[in-house]
Amino acid sequence: MTETKLRSGLIMLIGALGVLQPFSLDTYLPSLGQMAKDMSVSEGVIQQNLTFLTFGVSIGTVLTGPITDAIGRRKPALFALVGYILAALLTANAINIEMLFAGRVLQGLTAACLVIVANAMLRDLHEGIQLIKAFALSMVVASSSWFIGPAFGSFLQTFTNWRGLSYILAALAAALFALIAWKLPDTMHVDDRTKSTAKQVAVRFRHLAKDRVFLGLLTVQATISISLFSYLSVSPFVYDAAYNITPIQVGYFLAINSFFAYTGGQVGAKLSEKLSPPKALTIGLIVGAAAGAGLIATTTMNLGFIAFTGFLAIFTLGFGTTITPLIGMAMAKHPNEAGTAAAMVAVSGTLATTISGGLYAVLDHTSSIGIGTTMLGFMSLGIFLLYAVVKPSKMEELK
């Protein structure tokens, strides 16, 4: 079903499947302090709700890839939307920290299913540079939630709280269910679907595991994700402790930073077309590492708030630039197992951030030193892995 032309309406509808995962993260960030008070736990404990969210994303990612290759794309999307509604309602009605964490796991699990389905659908429809362009176009919808989410979370604090936010997300999932059920076709033909036995699933994973380029890109994705979550987990506390920025104001600054991430996604697609996907990925990693160095300098040289939030914006620009070339390169050679490939790309990032949950808890929450060191170290590691493991010079050029 590979197509040579981009169908904008269909691609943007597919992109809508990706809005719930960032909304499940970004909109809650301005409310972390209030959540800690409501649950009568420390800030360090409430931070772990992000770890539980990414744990759910990891589970959902692993499960969805093989399932969507076996039964198509549409049914898993609809089931996941129903599951997300229930998960958001569970979060909204949490009476203790355990119930909250359970709701967050389920939100992550079901939202991840939708992202995997969306990526697999795009691979069904396109390949090569056209696939990267399709990812960039889908981000017009999907990644708009990156910058809408934090600002929306801050705005909501003027008349509701994180529980009200959870109800709103449940309503959004219900609206998406109606839209997807009405308008979105299944992009995977019945004849292209693979067997769903455990043996066949294992065969698909083994096929991907033998691809050095694919595995190398998974490790690069892990380093990028660890860097990103150091920003997401720690920066709201630094805004408060170092610069006295209120939770409502924090959401708006995070929204500005997320707009840079969205812009980076478009830049990554353009650079992939004009230069090459490996060069676009390299540029994104370099920008992210440089921003980390800038954040270290912000504290050590007392550069002030403008430098702090500016370097965060530069980091998110670099992060966004890596997205489209990395996914495009990783999925290019695997049209018959697009769901499984998309799952492995996603889980490499979420699993890395889940394992790194303890790191974020011990990073300095009063200055930009911890965030900057993490960004500089892991984005630099990503550059090393790209050229030592992926070896772009030996890759087949995408067309």
Side-chain angles (χ1 to χ4, degrees):
M1 195 172 174
T2 301
E3 301 180 0
T4 57
K5 293 184 179 180
L6 299 181
R7 288 197 281 165
S8 299
L10 176 58
I11 291 173
M12 294 179 76
L13 181 59
I14 292 171
L17 293 172
V19 302
L20 287 176
Q21 185 168 315
F23 266 139
S24 299
L25 172 65
D26 296 337
T27 50
Y28 286 91
L29 292 177
S31 301
L32 289 179
Q34 187 59 51
M35 292 172 73
K37 292 178 182 178
D38 290 349
M39 293 288 104
S40 299
V41 298
S42 68
E43 291 180 346
V45 171
I46 206 65
Q47 254 187 305
Q48 296 305 307
N49 92 89
L50 302 180
T51 300
F52 279 91
L53 179 74
T54 56
F55 176 65
V57 170
S58 298
I59 297 173
T61 298
V62 171
L63 292 176
T64 305
I67 290 173
T68 193
D69 283 339
I71 67 173
R73 317 303 189 194
R74 181 178 158 87
K75 288 181 181 178
L78 294 174
F79 279 116
L81 285 165
V82 172
Y84 188 90
I85 295 169
L86 298 176
L89 293 176
L90 177 62
T91 300
N93 292 280
I95 58 175
N96 53 46
I97 193 66
E98 292 81 12
M99 190 172 174
L100 174 64
F101 285 167
R104 298 295 275 156
V105 168
L106 292 174
Q107 279 184 284
L109 188 156
T110 50
C113 292
L114 298 169
V115 173
I116 298 307
V117 168
N119 289 346
M121 281 185 155
L122 294 176
R123 183 61 187 88
D124 290 339
L125 296 171
H126 301 286
E127 60 184 11
I129 294 297
Q130 285 294 93
L131 175 60
I132 293 176
K133 289 182 179 179
F135 277 123
L137 181 57
S138 74
M139 286 178 65
V140 171
V141 177
S143 61
S144 64
S145 58
W146 296 353
F147 51 89
I148 293 173
F152 187 53
S154 288
F155 173 70
L156 286 177
Q157 291 195 40
T158 62
F159 62 89
T160 188
N161 56 20
W162 60 273
R163 295 183 187 274
L165 165 62
S166 299
Y167 282 116
I168 290 171
L169 291 181
L172 174 60
L176 278 174
F177 178 89
L179 179 63
I180 297 305
W182 177 38
K183 281 289 188 180
L184 187 64
D186 201 318
T187 58
M188 190 180 198
H189 193 275
V190 174
D191 294 340
D192 295 328
R193 296 174 189 177
T194 57
K195 294 181 179 180
S196 57
T197 64
K199 180 179 179 180
Q200 289 300 319
V201 170
V203 167
R204 292 200 292 277
F205 276 111
R206 281 201 302 271
H207 183 212
L208 291 167
K210 292 179 180 179
D211 184 346
R212 174 187 51 77
V213 170
F214 182 79
L215 290 181
L217 290 169
L218 296 191
T219 63
V220 175
Q221 174 67 22
T223 66
I224 295 169
S225 296
I226 292 172
S227 302
L228 175 67
F229 268 74
S230 70
Y231 153 67
L232 294 173
S233 298
V234 181
S235 68
F237 297 102
V238 179
Y239 273 113
D240 178 26
Y243 304 106
N244 296 315
I245 303 298
T246 67
I248 292 178
Q249 293 171 325
V250 166
Y252 294 123
F253 281 111
L254 294 177
I256 293 171
N257 295 342
S258 295
F259 179 77
F260 278 87
Y262 162 78
T263 302
Q266 306 306 309
V267 170
K270 289 294 184 183
L271 290 175
S272 295
E273 184 178 5
K274 298 296 184 182
L275 302 175
S276 70
K279 289 180 180 178
L281 178 55
T282 302
I283 290 171
L285 290 166
I286 291 173
V287 170
L295 287 168
I296 295 172
T298 297
T299 295
T300 58
M301 300 176 65
N302 196 25
L303 298 180
F305 174 73
I306 297 299
F308 171 69
T309 198
F311 282 122
L312 288 182
I314 292 171
F315 168 77
T316 56
L317 176 68
F319 157 72
T321 303
T322 69
I323 296 173
T324 43
L326 192 149
I327 295 177
M329 287 190 290
M331 298 182 65
K333 293 171 58 180
H334 303 284
N336 296 325
E337 54 234 353
T340 305
M344 290 185 69
V345 171
V347 81
S348 65
T350 56
L351 184 59
T353 55
T354 300
I355 294 171
S356 301
L359 167 65
Y360 307 135
V362 301
L363 289 178
D364 184 0
H365 285 46
T366 62
S367 78
S368 57
I369 286 285
I371 305 175
T373 302
T374 305
M375 290 176 179
L376 175 60
F378 280 95
M379 295 298 265
S380 297
L381 178 59
I383 297 170
F384 170 78
L385 291 170
L386 177 60
Y387 286 90
V389 181
V390 178
K391 300 179 180 178
S393 61
K394 296 184 179 180
M395 287 178 56
E396 182 179 345
E397 183 178 356
L398 295 185
K399 299 180 180 180

